[in-house]
Amino acid sequence: MAKVLMKGNEAIAESAIRAGGLCYFCYPITPQSEVAEYLSWRMPEVGGSFLQAESEVAVANMLYGAAGAGVRVWTTSSSPGISLMQEGLSYIAAAELPAVVVNIVRCGPGLGGILPSQCDYLQATKGGGHGDYRCLVYGPSSVQEAVDLMPLAFDRADRYRNPVIVVGDGMIGQMMEPVEFRRYEFPPLPSKDWATTGCKGRKPNVVNSLYLDPAKEEQLNIRMAQKYEKMKREEVRYEEFWTDRPYRVLLVAYGTTARICKTAIQKLAEQGIEAALLRPISLFPFPEEKVYELGQRAEWVMSVEMSMGQMLEDVRLAMGRTKPVYFYGRTGGMVPSPDEVVEAVKLHLERK
C-alpha cells in the first residue's frame, strides 16, 4: 500500500478506525485536538460513533458504559485531561473492560503548557487512579509506529480485558510523516459473552467494579495481578540500536527522545565514543531484563527523558547496584538536542 503524508494525530485517528475503533468519545485539548476534528467527519463515513462530551470525567464514564456493551471504545486526550479520567479508568480496569486511551503528553504539572513532554510516564505505568491496577502502555517513537501500535492496542485491550494506553507527545501528534496503513492479523479473540448486549434467552450479565464482600474483592485483585504477570511474560517490546558492537555507554530512552539519542550516538561515534541504545516500546511491562542484560556490557547506563526523571526509576530498579545509572533530561516543553546528549555523555565519561 502506498504511503501517505499525514499529521500524527490524524494518522492515529485513521489507524484506530481501521482497527475497528468505531466508538470514540472525547473532550478537546491541545496538542491532540486534531484527532477529534478528523473523526468528527470521518466517523459518519464509516458508520462509527463520535461524541464530544462535556468533560473528560464524562468521557471516562462513557468509555466505561460503552465498553460494557462489548464494542471497541477509545479516546484521546492530553495530560491534564488524562488526569481527570483516572477515576473512570480505575473503574474500567476493575470491571475488566477493554478500552484504548491515547495520551499526547504536554508539559506539566498542572495545566503546564502545550509543548511536548514525557512527564506522564509514572501516571501511565504505575496506575494513575486508585487501587491495584495496571494498564498496558506503549510508547511509539514515530508517526508510523503510532499507526502500527493502534491495532495492537485494540487487540490487547480485548484479549486482556484491560485498558491500554498509547503514550505520545506533542511532536508525535503534530509532526507530519509518511505512513503506511498495514493490515495486521491477530489470533482469534475470546467471545465477549460477558457484555451487556441484552439478556433475551439468557441470564443478565452484570458489569461492576464494586465488591462489598472482602473475599470477592481480594479474589478480583488476585486475578488482576495474575493478568499483569502474564503481560510481563508475554508483552515486553523494545528496540535495540547499535548493541551489536562494543559500547561504553548504554542510553535508555523511549518515544521521540529515543530518536534524538540515535543521532547523539552517531555523533559520539564520530568522536570515537562507543554508545548504544535500548528503546522500550512497552513502558508497562518494562523491558527490565533486557536493560539489565545490555547494561552489563556498558561502563554505565544513562536514562534520557523529557521529564525530571520518571522512567529513571525503572532503569535503576532493572540495573540494581550493578552499574552506575545517570540521568539527563529537559522538561517544561524543552526538547533535548543531540548535542546536549553528547555533552552529557562526555561529562560523565570525564568524571569517571
Side-chain angles (χ1 to χ4, degrees), residues 89-336:
L89 288 176
S90 177
Y91 289 178
I92 293 169
E96 297 190 271
L97 295 175
V100 174
V101 177
V102 179
N103 183 3
I104 302 298
V105 180
R106 56 191 256 180
C107 57
L111 285 176
I114 63 173
L115 295 173
S117 176
Q118 294 179 321
C119 60
D120 290 351
Y121 178 90
L122 292 176
Q123 181 195 61
T125 60
K126 309 302 180 186
H130 65 282
D132 286 329
Y133 82 94
R134 293 294 189 102
C135 297
L136 192 57
V137 183
Y138 299 127
S141 68
S142 67
V143 177
Q144 180 65 62
E145 189 171 44
V147 164
D148 292 338
L149 286 174
M150 290 304 291
L152 181 70
F154 279 105
D155 178 84
R156 293 302 189 266
D158 280 338
R159 199 168 298 283
Y160 286 97
R161 292 180 57 182
N162 200 74
V164 176
I165 299 177
V166 178
V167 175
D169 60 52
M171 285 189 281
I172 290 283
Q174 294 297 319
M175 75 169 72
M176 296 186 74
E177 290 187 316
V179 295
E180 179 181 5
F181 293 96
R182 308 181 179 108
R183 183 175 180 82
Y184 290 94
E185 300 290 341
F186 299 103
L189 290 167
S191 170
K192 293 185 176 180
D193 54 5
W194 46 264
T196 54
T197 56
C199 56
K200 187 176 181 179
R202 61 166 172 80
K203 292 183 178 179
N205 287 335
V206 177
V207 174
N208 186 25
S209 69
L210 177 64
Y211 294 87
L212 297 180
D213 183 339
K216 290 183 178 178
E217 179 70 33
E218 184 182 46
Q219 285 304 309
L220 169 66
N221 277 281
I222 291 172
R223 185 169 70 248
M224 291 170 63
Q226 291 171 340
K227 181 163 59 179
Y228 305 143
E229 288 303 314
K230 184 178 181 182
M231 290 179 186
K232 290 179 181 178
R233 293 193 301 273
E234 299 181 2
E235 301 299 336
V236 173
R237 296 170 186 273
Y238 55 83
E239 178 196 12
E240 299 178 40
F241 181 75
W242 285 19
T243 58
D244 58 347
R245 61 193 73 185
Y247 52 88
R248 298 179 63 188
V249 178
L250 177 69
L251 303 182
V252 183
Y254 71 97
T256 51
T257 304
R259 297 172 68 164
I260 295 166
C261 286
K262 287 180 179 178
T263 303
I265 288 169
Q266 292 166 338
K267 286 177 172 280
L268 285 165
E270 293 170 357
Q271 300 176 42
I273 300 172
E274 303 89 0
L277 170 73
L278 176 71
R279 178 174 72 88
I281 298 173
S282 61
L283 306 184
F284 179 83
F286 187 73
E288 54 194 21
E289 292 184 5
K290 183 55 69 172
V291 169
Y292 177 83
E293 175 192 330
L294 296 179
Q296 298 309 306
R297 292 161 51 188
E299 296 175 16
W300 46 266
V301 178
M302 187 163 75
S303 182
V304 184
E305 306 173 44
M306 284 192 292
S307 74
M308 290 305 292
Q310 298 196 8
M311 184 180 69
L312 173 65
E313 294 184 6
D314 283 336
V315 176
R316 282 179 169 160
L317 282 171
M319 292 302 300
R321 296 181 180 275
T322 59
K323 293 290 176 72
V325 177
Y326 301 121
F327 169 74
Y328 182 74
R330 299 296 302 272
T331 187
M334 299 296 291
V335 177

